[in-house]
Amino acid sequence: MKKKVFIWLFVVLFPRAALFAEQKNHQDNFISSFVENFSLSWKAVQTAFSSSLNNNFLIFKLNDNQSTSSFITDPLRLQQLSKPIRHKRRAFLEFFSLFSYSGINYNIKYSKFIEDWQWNFTWDDQKERFFTFKAHRFDSNDFGLNWRHALAGMIYYEFARSNNLSWLQASLYSIGGSLAWEYMVEWREVISINDNIMTGLGGYVLGESWFQLGRYFFNSPSRFSRLFSWLNPFMKINGWFDRKQLLPPYFHCYNRQGQDVYLFIGYRHSPTSTSGRNVGNLDVSLNSRIITAQEYGLPGKINEKFTSPIYSQLDVELMYHGQSREELEVMAKVVPVGRFIQSISDDRKGYSLYYGLGSAFQVYIKRPVTDYDGGKIPINRPEDFHFENPREFRDKLSAVHIVGPVFDGTYFSRPWFLRLRSEVYLSFGMINALALNKYSVDNSVQGMKTTLTYYGYYYALGPYLESSVQLGYKHLKFEGSFNYVYYSSLQGRDRFQDELLDDSVIKDSRWDYGLKLQYHIPRTDFSIVAAAEWVRRWGKIHEVEDSNLEKRYYLGLKFNL
């Protein structure tokens, strides 16, 4: 009997004792690790916060070999210090220094721009420029020069944003800087409508998405990813000036669940500028989709307005065939105002969504095969364009999707998720006239819109629509997307409007739709990506229409940063 009782006690109690011993050992190790590594460094807190979002409890390994910041017990004082100081004077000084240098450089090299000069430094001329709309025209510069004005606006914007000014204040830098340049520095020229849109509004979108990407890298717990913060040198320089503040410059705790920042390198099977058939190419891109709301995708209920950007996107893609860069594509997006709604249970089931007003910027350029398409010939040398030959322009587009509604909603049901996104914008674009090459075979292109005649593109306005759906399960993610833009030419404001012989309406459209399958390799930052994309173009000049369909196939490796 005693033997049976002993056996029963051994069978029942020993596993429990072993379990208790294991739990106690785990608890002792946890407490020991907590005491050994505990730190109140802000960088450490951020690391712990980011690491804990995908777990059910907070990881207290906070030591990252950073010096510990002062511990503040007054919540009002902490709130005050957590708001970065807005360096308005420093922002203006940086802006004014570059603006002055550029203005002086422009006037030193005045002979390069003599073809643009139409106004004299007299009261009658300048009164007409400043107080009427007679000088407001679409300029006649080449495509490359015109789209790159957005980069100038991006820098103007960054001077303000990297000095902790709000996105609205920074927008005044890009818009105001563009107007000041057009009205004052280029006082001899027309006031370029397209430059003000590209520099002012395009600069704002590019500048904000660039700022958010730099801030993401600045706050990354990965030392390797933090190296990419040098992609925004203005943030690094101004951050160095602010290095002695209590909080690190541009401090922000990013919820990794809401971010998708990565490098892509892979094989792309698609046509080139000189080949109508698909060939092998190298595709390289840096991509970011950043949601700044720290609560995104976490348990809880939220219903609140936001007045600072909740979403930003910046994609830069390059395609190479051998040593030639065949394509450049840039897409930037920002959603600065709207409403954020979320309802997620403790078991991570529910939804997150936001809607609001957004803006976007886009560039797409195929490699030119002629000097005139590459902007290497100025319009004051018409004999070098050889208009007796049919045109050989390649596709290109630069657009500011000015403003429009954006919706982004995700439903979570672990391990599944479903995400829907849709956006509609009013778009201003500079687009290649697809039908022009075909039209020029039997018709003269001289006397048409100035930029169309010499560089193959025209200024236009139209709707832009984009939508996508993502379905994820554990390590797999499937995505389908499409975007569509339709343009009709803007009439009556050509720089040489009185000299035009044919100012007919031109129309173009572009469909882009595709499918993508992604597999994330467990316990790594790598994913395998396979995708297919179709780009359909259509254009019309008078009764001449042209269209084509380009098929692209991708296979490559994605590395999350």
Side-chain angles (χ1 to χ4, degrees):
M1 181 65 180
K2 292 182 178 180
K3 185 176 181 179
K4 290 182 178 180
V5 172
F6 176 78
I7 294 174
W8 182 84
L9 290 172
F10 179 81
V11 172
V12 174
L13 298 179
F14 179 77
R16 295 189 179 184
L19 179 61
F20 292 152
E22 182 181 355
Q23 290 178 340
K24 186 176 186 307
N25 184 50
H26 176 74
Q27 184 178 14
D28 290 342
N29 290 337
F30 179 83
I31 294 173
S32 176
S33 177
F34 171 79
V35 173
E36 178 182 354
N37 296 296
F38 183 77
S39 169
L40 293 178
S41 163
W42 277 108
K43 187 68 73 174
V45 172
Q46 174 201 358
T47 303
F49 180 82
S50 300
S51 301
S52 66
L53 292 175
N54 295 320
N55 297 280
N56 294 323
F57 59 89
L58 183 62
I59 298 174
F60 283 100
K61 187 175 182 180
L62 302 182
N63 194 339
D64 68 344
N65 297 322
Q66 300 282 341
S67 60
T68 303
S69 302
S70 303
F71 189 78
I72 299 174
T73 57
D74 183 355
L76 295 178
R77 176 63 174 161
L78 179 61
Q79 183 181 15
Q80 182 183 27
L81 291 171
S82 65
K83 294 181 180 179
I85 300 174
R86 296 183 176 183
H87 299 285
K88 296 180 180 180
R89 292 181 181 179
R90 190 168 72 195
F92 181 78
L93 179 61
E94 292 171 353
F95 163 79
F96 185 75
S97 298
L98 178 64
F99 190 88
S100 300
Y101 168 79
S102 301
I104 293 171
N105 189 55
Y106 166 84
N107 281 281
I108 291 175
K109 298 179 179 180
Y110 72 95
S111 60
K112 184 178 179 180
F113 306 98
I114 284 179
E115 66 189 71
D116 292 332
W117 291 3
Q118 293 179 248
W119 304 85
N120 297 315
F121 194 63
T122 64
W123 169 247
D124 289 338
D125 273 21
Q126 294 307 310
K127 180 179 66 174
E128 198 167 51
R129 285 183 78 253
F130 273 82
F131 303 111
T132 73
F133 288 102
K134 187 175 181 179
H136 288 259
R137 300 294 179 101
F138 294 110
D139 69 33
S140 57
N141 294 327
D142 68 82
F143 182 84
L145 178 61
N146 270 346
W147 85 259
R148 288 196 297 268
H149 278 83
L151 301 180
M154 178 180 74
I155 295 174
Y156 294 161
Y157 184 95
E158 207 64 23
F159 284 140
R161 202 69 169 98
S162 64
N163 278 295
N164 301 319
L165 274 67
S166 70
W167 71 273
L168 276 174
Q169 291 171 318
S171 297
L172 295 178
Y173 273 70
S174 60
I175 296 172
S178 177
L179 292 173
W181 184 272
E182 292 293 325
Y183 274 94
M184 295 187 292
V185 177
E186 294 182 341
W187 57 266
R188 301 177 181 89
E189 302 182 26
V190 298
I191 298 170
S192 173
I193 300 171
N194 52 283
D195 284 356
N196 281 327
I197 295 174
M198 284 289 162
T199 309
L201 300 180
Y204 141 64
V205 178
L206 277 174
E208 182 61 30
S209 58
W210 188 30
F211 171 81
Q212 295 292 347
L213 181 61
R215 189 171 71 161
Y216 173 86
F217 286 133
F218 214 91
N219 286 272
S220 174
S222 165
R223 292 184 179 180
F224 175 74
S225 295
R226 284 201 296 272
L227 293 174
F228 284 85
S229 61
W230 281 104
L231 291 173
N232 191 326
F234 301 105
M235 183 175 285
K236 294 293 289 187
I237 293 170
N238 287 321
W240 182 84
F241 288 134
D242 296 337
R243 67 192 183 282
K244 293 183 180 180
Q245 295 181 11
L246 177 65
L247 289 180
Y250 319 111
F251 175 77
H252 188 82
C253 286
Y254 282 97
N255 176 354
R256 287 194 170 190
Q257 188 167 277
Q259 323 311 324
D260 193 15
V261 181
Y262 62 93
L263 288 168
F264 175 84
I265 182 168
Y267 171 83
R268 173 173 158 182
H269 197 60
S270 63
T272 64
S273 289
T274 54
S275 173
R277 59 184 180 85
N278 279 22
V279 295
N281 306 284
L282 174 67
D283 192 82
V284 182
S285 64
L286 172 63
N287 310 268
S288 70
R289 287 146 180 79
I290 297 172
I291 294 178
T292 59
Q294 300 173 10
E295 310 88 350
Y296 180 86
L298 298 180
K301 290 187 177 182
I302 300 173
N303 189 336
E304 61 186 18
K305 294 180 180 179
F306 59 87
T307 55
S308 60
I310 194 173
Y311 175 84
S312 71
Q313 175 179 332
L314 182 58
D315 299 335
V316 180
E317 181 181 6
L318 300 167
M319 189 190 85
Y320 289 89
H321 184 74
Q323 295 182 346
S324 299
R325 192 194 75 193
E326 286 291 329
E327 290 183 16
L328 166 67
E329 189 159 8
V330 178
M331 175 62 83
K333 299 179 182 179
V334 177
V335 183
V337 293
R339 180 169 289 274
F340 175 44
I341 303 173
Q342 179 169 278
S343 179
I344 300 178
S345 61
D346 291 337
D347 59 355
R348 302 294 182 94
K349 291 184 178 180
Y351 63 88
S352 293
L353 68 89
Y354 64 85
Y355 59 87
L357 292 177
S359 301
F361 173 83
Q362 182 179 10
V363 170
Y364 173 73
I365 307 172
K366 274 187 170 292
R367 181 175 66 88
V369 295
T370 62
D371 286 343
Y372 56 79
D373 191 18
K376 297 180 180 180
I377 305 174
I379 64 172
N380 59 352
R381 286 163 38 198
E383 66 279 0
D384 293 337
F385 284 84
H386 297 289
F387 290 111
E388 67 274 10
N389 298 324
R391 301 294 84 186
E392 283 290 336
F393 291 109
R394 292 298 180 262
D395 205 12
K396 47 190 172 288
L397 165 68
S398 179
V400 176
H401 308 315
I402 301 171
V403 67
V406 177
F407 171 85
D408 189 326
T410 306
Y411 177 76
F412 302 96
S413 181
R414 303 291 181 175
W416 294 88
F417 79 86
L418 176 66
R419 184 175 184 180
L420 301 174
R421 181 178 174 88
S422 185
E423 47 204 301
V424 180
Y425 303 105
L426 173 66
S427 179
F428 168 81
M430 304 184 300
I431 187 169
N432 178 72
L434 185 70
L436 187 63
N437 292 348
K438 186 176 179 179
Y439 178 85
S440 67
V441 174
D442 299 315
N443 300 276
S444 172
V445 299
Q446 296 189 71
M448 303 180 79
K449 301 178 194 303
T450 306
T451 55
L452 185 72
T453 296
Y454 292 98
Y455 302 120
Y457 76 94
Y458 63 95
Y459 302 102
L461 200 66
Y464 175 90
L465 302 86
E466 182 172 342
S467 188
S468 65
V469 56
Q470 293 180 3
L471 180 63
Y473 176 74
K474 292 185 177 180
H475 300 294
L476 285 172
K477 184 167 71 173
F478 171 80
E479 180 177 355
S481 64
F482 85 92
N483 62 67
Y484 171 74
V485 65
Y486 176 86
Y487 282 126
S488 181
S489 59
L490 289 163
Q491 303 295 113
R493 304 302 297 180
D494 191 282
R495 181 189 162 201
F496 301 109
Q497 185 67 37
D498 296 336
E499 301 176 20
L500 300 188
L501 302 176
D502 181 0
D503 192 25
S504 302
V505 175
I506 307 169
K507 298 178 180 180
D508 275 86
S509 68
R510 188 176 192 264
W511 278 94
D512 189 325
Y513 43 97
L515 302 171
K516 181 189 295 184
L517 183 64
Q518 173 183 309
Y519 173 72
H520 176 246
I521 302 172
R523 299 183 181 87
T524 72
D525 291 320
F526 292 94
S527 300
I528 300 172
V529 178
E533 183 181 13
W534 298 268
V535 179
R536 184 180 297 275
R537 284 282 278 113
W538 170 87
K540 182 178 180 180
I541 298 178
H542 292 298
E543 301 305 317
V544 178
E545 295 187 38
D546 199 4
S547 63
N548 62 48
L549 175 63
E550 183 176 309
K551 301 176 182 179
R552 307 171 179 176
Y553 305 101
Y554 302 79
L555 181 63
L557 200 62
K558 170 183 174 181
F559 176 61
N560 281 91
L561 297 169

